[in-house]
Amino acid sequence: MATFTQLPSGNWRVQVRRKNRYVAETFRRRKDGEEWALDVERNIDRSGSPKPRAAVKAKTFGDIIDLHIQDMRESAAPLADPKRPY
């Protein structure tokens, strides 16, 4: 069963404890957390091993940067222009 806790930042911490496994992740929207928790619970029931959300896909540092940019676009936060002075 998953536990949902709203953080002071407004994000949601989702914790899954199942079959002596513990996995936690933070999401901007509760709905995203609910979907992730359901997926993790299914994976634990099937294979006994939870897989992290996006870390499985990331093989290189460039992959991590791409995941970060994708997260920023999904959250509708504007990306800073590195060539523009502050």
Side-chain angles (χ1 to χ4, degrees), residues 3-44:
T3 303
F4 300 90
T5 308
Q6 190 167 21
L7 302 173
S9 64
N11 293 339
W12 289 88
R13 181 186 313 134
V14 182
Q15 300 172 330
V16 176
R17 290 183 182 93
R18 194 173 192 95
K19 293 187 178 180
N20 294 326
R21 304 269 193 238
Y22 171 81
V23 186
E25 193 70 50
T26 304
F27 298 90
R28 289 191 182 269
R29 298 183 312 170
R30 182 180 173 121
K31 176 116 176 104
D32 292 338
E34 290 171 353
E35 292 171 2
W36 174 83
L38 185 60
D39 187 45
V40 167
E41 289 174 347
R42 286 180 182 155
N43 287 334
I44 291 173

Side-chain angles (χ1 to χ4, degrees), residues 18-83:
R18 194 173 192 95
K19 293 187 178 180
N20 294 326
R21 304 269 193 238
Y22 171 81
V23 186
E25 193 70 50
T26 304
F27 298 90
R28 289 191 182 269
R29 298 183 312 170
R30 182 180 173 121
K31 176 116 176 104
D32 292 338
E34 290 171 353
E35 292 171 2
W36 174 83
L38 185 60
D39 187 45
V40 167
E41 289 174 347
R42 286 180 182 155
N43 287 334
I44 291 173
D45 288 341
R46 289 180 187 151
S47 65
S49 167
K51 60 181 178 186
R53 180 169 68 156
V56 172
K57 298 177 193 173
K59 302 284 185 209
T60 65
F61 185 69
D63 292 340
I64 294 172
I65 292 173
D66 292 340
L67 286 171
H68 174 69
I69 291 171
Q70 181 183 355
D71 285 345
M72 294 296 289
R73 286 189 177 131
E74 289 174 2
S75 67
L79 295 175
D81 183 3
K83 295 181 181 178

